[in-house]
Amino acid sequence: RSKPFEAVMEEARRLAAEGVTELNLIAEDTNQWGSDFGGGDPRRLAELLRALAEIPEIRRMSLLYCYPSYFSEELIAAIAEVDKVCKYIDIPLQHISDNVLRAMNRPPRAYTENLLRKLRARIPGLVLRTTFITGFPGETAEDHAELVKFAKEMRFERAGIFAYSEEEGTPAATLTNQVPMEVRQSRRDELTAIVQDAQREYAESLVGQTLEVVIDKPGEGGFG
């Protein structure tokens, strides 16, 4: 269930009073927040972002785990227009081949591509992060090639690539057309190399710019 609007606002104000300046909005499907409020409360994530931005102490807000099925025009506008909202969207796509998307019960490729084009066009400076799964049951060499081509074209700034693994109790684990583990891993490695190249390209594009950053904790160098 969605946490009530006022409960979220109360928690945010309390955190701000304690010195917090950045909020991460996280749920299993963050952009579906408020869809279970019913007709009595029409406020959704777009309205919440705008209200949270009114808290003076809050300087940044990030959205995590926004599935492609539930992006409203109002939400896209809020992300683009509210300065305190980081222009960063974590949108787990999992695949792009319609064959695999149907098996995953996810929106078709055409819908996803239209959404990504809209997000890129409407939100200047947008950074997109996604996740892909290789070797989902029934994935063919053609499906994988389609995913590889898509990743090369989209050039996601961030991405996580995972080889499919059976999880007990899930419908996919009972399917008979399982892909051999070595094939899953080989496809994962190929796709990982592609997204790492895109990530390097994005990082190099930032050279020479002055950026505001948040340091979580000191490290020993590198990305550790």
Side-chain angles (χ1 to χ4, degrees):
R1 294 187 57 186
S2 300
K3 181 181 288 189
F5 189 98
E6 291 305 330
V8 177
M9 293 300 301
E10 181 181 347
E11 181 180 5
R13 294 188 191 100
R14 175 179 57 78
L15 290 170
E18 295 172 356
V20 170
T21 61
E22 180 176 10
L23 299 176
N24 291 321
L25 281 68
I26 306 173
E28 284 190 19
D29 191 346
T30 303
N31 48 343
Q32 203 176 1
W33 177 85
S35 62
D36 54 352
F37 286 167
D41 188 349
R43 294 174 295 185
R44 299 294 183 263
L45 188 55
E47 288 78 14
L48 180 63
L49 291 175
R50 295 184 186 278
L52 290 170
E54 295 299 318
I55 301 175
E57 297 85 355
I58 298 301
R59 297 177 59 189
R60 295 158 53 103
M61 293 180 284
S62 298
L63 292 171
L64 303 176
Y65 310 139
C66 295
Y67 281 82
S69 304
Y70 304 103
F71 270 94
S72 66
E73 293 294 325
E74 293 78 11
L75 177 57
I76 296 173
I79 296 171
E81 296 167 5
V82 178
D83 290 339
K84 292 183 179 182
V85 176
C86 295
K87 310 315 175 194
Y88 169 92
I89 297 177
D90 185 337
I91 180 169
L93 299 178
Q94 314 299 36
H95 216 281
I96 201 59
S97 165
D98 281 327
N99 176 50
V100 180
L101 291 172
R102 279 192 298 271
M104 291 179 168
N105 195 29
R106 288 178 170 272
R109 171 173 183 153
Y111 171 89
T112 299
E113 285 190 306
N114 288 337
L115 173 62
L116 294 176
R117 282 194 290 267
K118 182 186 298 184
L119 292 173
R120 292 278 198 202
R122 300 253 318 258
I123 306 173
L126 176 65
V127 169
L128 283 174
R129 181 193 184 277
T130 192
T131 53
F132 290 124
I133 295 175
T134 62
F136 190 81
E139 183 193 54
T140 65
E142 291 76 17
D143 294 327
H144 176 68
E146 185 176 347
L147 178 57
V148 165
K149 185 174 184 291
F150 174 74
K152 288 179 178 179
E153 293 171 349
M154 280 303 303
R155 312 298 291 173
F156 290 95
E157 290 82 1
R158 292 286 184 272
I161 313 300
F162 305 94
Y164 169 78
S165 60
E166 294 88 344
E167 184 175 340
E168 187 176 352
T170 62
T174 65
L175 296 175
T176 58
N177 51 352
Q178 301 290 331
V179 176
M181 181 56 72
E182 62 271 19
V183 175
R184 305 179 202 177
Q185 295 173 342
S186 174
R187 292 175 180 176
R188 176 201 60 197
D189 294 345
E190 180 185 7
L191 199 57
T192 296
I194 291 167
V195 300
Q196 285 179 342
D197 181 64
Q199 289 170 183
R200 186 181 305 108
E201 182 181 273
Y202 171 66
E204 290 172 350
S205 75
L206 300 177
V207 173
Q209 298 187 37
T210 301
L211 304 172
E212 182 180 14
V213 301
V214 175
I215 299 174
D216 292 324
K217 62 182 178 180
E220 294 299 326
F223 293 99

